[in-house]
């Protein structure tokens, strides 16, 4: 199972949701944001190396509380990436590790589209504000054209009761509400996913709810 | 099915432009094959061939009365005719036409990463952004007035090698450079790198005797301490230089200075 976590807009929390969702799924999370990597880095080969043909995909998996395939941080590395190699690379990791969660970049360019084309299904992350929804709808269209079935969406960083039903209707998938919780915000940098750090929290509940919708 | 073409020669390659016209009242799928004794270089977007192209030709779906233009290159001298219609088949009318956007995809496999690459905008940061940040490592461009042999060349800049400690050698007098492949300073730089690589090669999987000889040549193990690192750095610089040289050569080859026209203006 290859699951893409996408969202159109930058800064809505795709990386945070991807990381925590991977924790709930026991999956490997891959930082597919080639130009602006967010997941923890580390030494050794990364996704840039894989897409430049310099490294074997499975040797880039870095063990942690959630296993991560980090992405390089240089523009030169991003430029040298051959995205057409992403499908085979993800398939290789999937064969070895089962479920793969792809943290997608923002936008509608090839680097956002190719992970959706490679993925079997996707989760959309939206911010509870109207302007972010428009981008999410465009990304939903892209995912539909590329055959990445939408299994659910995460309304992220919610402070007051959001129009969850309207969002779910607009996107055509059930919406899980992830409340603004500092433990979620810190989870990636601290490498402590919220389902482990605060399993009783509403945020952890929302992440688990999303994880249950992912077919396996 | 009407097919017309023109062939242009560009260096060692032939550029073929074709037009195909479906004069039937129904959609047809037409297979057009190259007659060149060389692989077809199809039109590409983001490095991915356009839909329908393969190494020997293209398969197009053409609506009733529709005209379609297309073209390709082949690394081979022109042949006549350059293309032939290999087959024309009726198109199943239930088959959905892929008009007005959407991803092409294979008939059964659905859209692939290649489709996404072809249809969506390029994701790569522009070359200028990449080179601007890093510079071409170790190479500083410096202006050098050529001696009065050609005043118009005063502004020409050449690359001179810099040592990692920051010192740049002089790029040489410039006299007698013409006709050589590279300016003197560049030759010197290559020679220094070559010497280091030679040494590293001799030490790679070396037996005790060769290793001892190399160490003696170098004047002690200390002199070789950073050899590995320096050779790795050399490799990086060489790649940067070769990339830049190739892109400059490409630009140079694409220029065409209309001297005659300029003379008339003067």
């Amino acid at each position: 199972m290859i699951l893409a976590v996408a969202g159109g807009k930058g800064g809505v929390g795709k990386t945070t949701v991807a990381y925590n969702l991977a924790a709930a799924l026991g999956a490997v999370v891959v930082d597919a944001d080639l130009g602006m990597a967010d997941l923890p880095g580390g030494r050794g080969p990364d996704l840039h190396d894989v897409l430049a043909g310099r490294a074997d995909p499975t040797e880039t998996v870095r063990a942690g509380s959630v296993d991560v395939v980090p992405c390089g941080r240089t523009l030169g590395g991003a430029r040298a990436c051959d995205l057409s190699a992403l499908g085979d690379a993800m398939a290789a990791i999937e064969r070895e590790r089962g479920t793969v969660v792809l943290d997608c970049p923002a936008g509608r360019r090839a680097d956002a589209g190719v992970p959706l084309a490679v993925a079997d299904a996707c989760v959309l992350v939206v911010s509870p504000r109207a302007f972010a929804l428009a981008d999410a709808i465009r990304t939903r269209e892209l995912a539909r054209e590329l055959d990445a079935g939408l299994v659910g969406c995460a309304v992220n960083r919610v402070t007051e009761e959001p129009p969850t039903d309207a969002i779910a209707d607009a996107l055509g998938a059930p919406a899980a509400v992830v409340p603004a919780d500092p433990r979620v915000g810190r989870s990636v940098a601290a490498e402590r996913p919220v389902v482990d750090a605060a399993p009783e929290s509403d945020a952890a509940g929302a992440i688990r709810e999303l994880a249950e919708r992912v077919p396996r | 099915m009407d097919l017309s073409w023109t062939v242009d020669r560009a260096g060692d390659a032939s550029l073929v432009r074709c037009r195909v016209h479906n004069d039937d009242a129904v959609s047809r799928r037409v297979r057009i094959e190259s007659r060149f004794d060389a692989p077809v270089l199809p039109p590409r977007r983001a490095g991915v061939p356009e839909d329908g192209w393969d190494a020997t030709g293209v398969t197009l779906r053409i609506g009733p009365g529709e005209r379609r233009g297309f073209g390709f290159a082949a690394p081979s001298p022109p042949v006549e005719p350059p293309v032939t219609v290999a087959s024309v088949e009726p198109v199943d009318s239930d088959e959905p036409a892929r008009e007005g956007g959407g991803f092409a995809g294979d008939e059964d496999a659905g859209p692939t990463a290649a489709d996404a690459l072809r249809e969506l905008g390029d994701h790569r940061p522009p070359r200028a952004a990449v080179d601007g940040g890093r510079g071409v490592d170790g190479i500083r461009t410096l202006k050098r007035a050529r001696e009065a042999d050609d005043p118009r060349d005063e502004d020409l800049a050449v690359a001179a090698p810099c040592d990692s400690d920051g010192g740049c050698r002089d790029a040489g007098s410039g006299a007698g450079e013409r006709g050589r492949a590279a300016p003197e300073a560049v030759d010197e730089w290559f020679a220094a790198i070559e010497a280091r690589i030679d040494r590293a090669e001799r030490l790679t999987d070396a037996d005790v005797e060769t290793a001892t000889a190399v160490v003696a040549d170098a004047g002690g193990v200390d002199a070789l301490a950073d050899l590995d690192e320096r050779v790795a750095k050399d490799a990086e610089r060489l790649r940067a230089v070769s990339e830049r040289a190739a892109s400059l050569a490409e630009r140079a080859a694409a220029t065409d200075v209309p001297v005659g026209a300029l003379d008339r203006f003067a």
Side-chain angles (χ1 to χ4, degrees):
Chain A
M1 177 70 197
I2 301 177
L3 178 77
V5 176
K9 195 152 191 63
V12 293
K14 289 183 292 296
T15 301
T16 315
V17 170
Y19 184 82
N20 284 287
L21 197 52
L25 290 165
V28 179
V29 60
V30 177
D31 196 342
D33 195 343
L34 302 178
M36 277 180 264
D38 271 334
L39 280 166
R43 303 165 81 85
D46 55 38
L47 191 62
H48 281 177
D49 297 313
V50 172
L51 298 183
R54 288 192 297 263
D56 183 78
T58 51
E59 71 181 344
T60 57
V61 180
R62 201 184 58 113
S65 30
V66 179
D67 293 352
V68 175
V69 172
C71 187
R73 259 70 180 165
T74 62
L75 285 177
R79 195 175 152 78
C81 281
D82 174 11
L83 271 171
S84 59
L86 186 71
D88 287 345
M90 294 306 105
I93 296 176
E94 185 194 18
R95 268 197 303 279
E96 194 155 293
R97 307 298 300 265
T99 309
V100 179
V101 175
L102 276 171
D103 176 26
C104 301
R108 263 181 69 99
R109 291 184 169 274
D111 54 343
V114 171
L116 287 170
V118 162
D120 305 306
C122 73
V123 164
L124 286 181
V125 183
V126 278
S127 131
R129 315 231 199 114
F131 62 80
L133 190 58
D135 276 340
I137 289 173
R138 281 192 278 272
T139 304
R140 194 268 320 264
E141 287 307 318
L142 185 63
R144 186 174 284 166
E145 286 168 15
L146 290 167
D147 277 357
L150 179 59
V151 296
C153 38
V155 187
N156 195 27
R157 240 181 266 145
V158 168
T159 47
E160 34 195 80
E161 191 63 30
T164 314
D165 290 343
I167 292 174
D169 274 357
L171 295 176
V177 174
V178 184
D181 182 331
R183 288 169 295 192
V184 179
R186 280 197 301 266
S187 59
V188 176
E191 299 204 43
R192 271 175 68 73
V194 70
V195 287
D196 295 341
E200 303 303 318
S201 62
D202 290 350
I207 294 292
R208 278 196 297 269
E209 183 191 331
L210 270 175
E212 275 158 25
R213 295 191 192 286
V214 178
R216 282 196 258 181
Chain B
M1 202 61 68
D2 266 354
L3 181 64
S4 59
W5 60 79
T6 57
V7 185
D8 292 322
R9 182 108 189 232
D12 294 332
S14 301
L15 306 177
V16 184
R17 284 177 289 178
C18 307
R19 275 162 69 87
V20 60
H21 173 216
N22 177 8
D23 42 15
D24 288 337
V26 289
S27 293
R28 296 282 187 207
R29 181 177 289 112
V30 56
R31 168 80 192 164
I32 292 158
E33 287 191 345
S34 149
R35 293 190 60 256
F36 287 97
D37 191 20
V40 165
L41 306 177
R44 287 166 185 269
R45 231 182 274 167
V48 182
E50 291 275 325
D51 198 26
W53 287 87
D54 54 45
T56 55
V58 61
T59 309
L60 297 168
R61 176 190 163 133
I62 302 183
E66 188 187 346
R67 283 172 207 279
R68 185 86 64 87
F70 61 94
F72 63 94
S76 143
V79 293
E80 195 60 34
V83 284
T84 98
V85 175
S87 69
V88 181
E89 289 166 17
V91 176
D92 198 347
S93 54
D94 326 330
E95 200 179 303
R98 289 191 304 252
E99 303 297 336
F103 289 89
D106 265 329
E107 255 123 65
D108 33 37
T112 60
D115 296 317
L117 267 177
R118 187 161 51 211
E119 316 268 336
L120 299 174
D122 188 9
H123 74 283
R124 298 180 309 159
R127 183 185 292 278
V130 177
D131 290 347
R134 188 188 45 158
V136 179
D137 191 18
I139 300 290
R140 195 159 65 94
T141 313
L142 62 92
K143 246 185 189 179
R144 184 172 55 89
R146 298 268 296 254
E147 286 172 357
D149 61 351
D150 191 348
R152 283 175 304 177
D153 277 353
E154 267 180 18
D155 281 333
L156 289 186
V158 297
C162 299
D163 290 332
S164 44
D165 57 16
C168 293
R169 267 168 288 160
D170 189 76
S173 71
E177 267 177 27
R178 296 205 157 178
R180 267 201 278 142
E184 197 172 296
V186 175
D187 279 340
E188 270 175 34
W189 181 59
F190 279 147
I193 289 182
E194 196 165 7
R196 279 197 288 275
I197 295 174
D198 275 345
R199 198 170 272 175
E201 274 175 344
R202 285 172 67 196
L203 284 171
T204 306
D205 299 327
D207 54 30
V208 180
E209 202 180 316
T210 329
T212 321
V214 175
V215 171
D217 278 355
V221 179
D222 286 352
L224 296 171
D226 61 344
L227 182 64
D228 203 13
E229 198 180 314
R230 291 192 72 178
V231 170
K233 213 174 260 177
D234 286 339
E236 198 179 302
R237 288 180 185 177
L238 285 168
R239 270 194 286 273
V241 169
S242 107
E243 205 173 281
R244 180 150 187 223
S247 82
L248 285 177
E250 226 168 74
R251 279 170 59 189
T255 54
D256 180 16
V257 182
V259 180
L262 291 177
D263 272 346
R264 280 199 300 281
F265 280 127

